[in-house]
Amino acid sequence: MATRWGLCGAGKISHDFSVAIKTLPPGDHQIAVIASRSIDRAKDFELANDPEIDIVYLGMLHTEHWRVGMLFLKAGKNVLCEKPFAMNSREVKDLVATAKKNHVFLMEAIWSRCFHVYAKVRRLLAEEAVGDVKLVKAYFGSPQLDIPRSVQKELGGGALLDIGVYCLQFVLMVFNGERPESIQATGVLLDSGVDESVVVTMKFSRKRMALCAFSIAARLPNDAVIAGTKGPLKYVLGPMHCPTKLVVNDKETEYPLPEPCLPLNITNCAGLHYEAGEVRQRLLKGSPRMPLADSVLLTEIMAEIRKQVGVVFNQDSQ
């Protein structure tokens, strides 16, 4: 039986997700309902109680993830929630606890984890092809100062929640969800009070390090590098959040994406095909590619970074 999707949010990412789903076999995936992000709360309840929906994709602003996510989880719906999961650790832990209480599936939509390049990297790491990993570097910079949701505090703006999350989740994947021993962050803020550019260094056990830099004011290489003890061997992913190529010790391999049937808004968004397919498999078999434990730790790390950089949202005092 096909997985029947309800899409909550009608913005660019939801459009791209719906296009990506159409590249999958129709016998496996169907879009049952698409609800606008501007619908009133009565419509939210209507969608939550629709028996024809197996899972809801939340594609609205992350300032709404906690409220709408709790509604669907309490209604017994499986949920795939766009990143960032929510605004802070309290909201994320609420979502996780509610999903467990109601015995439903919940996953943060870190689509990066579902790309073929990421799968190949995980296999290489398991084979210890680079020896002991000593340093992980992830950079992501995209000029977005003209985009309201990126710069306005009330819309959950800032580099960390929008694109820095990709750098941090990559580090956690490489280090198998291990909590860093220390975090040092520095950054600059916009006049609105959200972070414009941030640099983060993390120290892990066994003398391992990670360096992340992200910015919504400047374009960066948008790549990730894993360096280990076996000579000069290293992995380079590009672009790191939705990679279609992997360079291993100067040998480049391409991983082409499915061909979409309609134009897409976001770079390589045909790769959402992999995320939708992954979710169907996890609904059938369990063990999501982005475990909830990783999402909880990721949010805690981001909370510490925000504390050090000086970014505070209204949700933090609620």
Side-chain angles (χ1 to χ4, degrees), residues 91-165:
E91 290 188 349
V92 167
K93 289 175 181 177
D94 275 356
L95 291 168
V96 171
T98 303
K100 291 179 178 178
K101 180 180 179 180
N102 289 277
H103 307 288
V104 291
F105 173 90
L106 172 66
M107 190 175 92
E108 184 177 13
I110 302 288
W111 63 318
S112 314
R113 295 274 182 111
C114 304
F115 274 74
H116 289 171
V117 171
Y118 271 63
K120 178 63 175 178
V121 168
R122 286 190 292 268
R123 288 195 295 271
L124 289 169
L125 290 171
E127 295 166 2
E128 298 183 346
V130 293
D132 295 329
V133 174
K134 298 302 294 182
L135 180 66
V136 179
K137 184 204 78 171
Y139 288 175
F140 194 165
S142 173
Q144 298 175 187
L145 296 181
D146 60 335
I147 302 175
R149 68 167 181 81
S150 296
V151 300
Q152 295 179 17
K153 180 177 283 191
E154 61 271 23
L155 299 181
L160 174 63
L161 293 188
D162 191 17
I163 58 180
V165 61

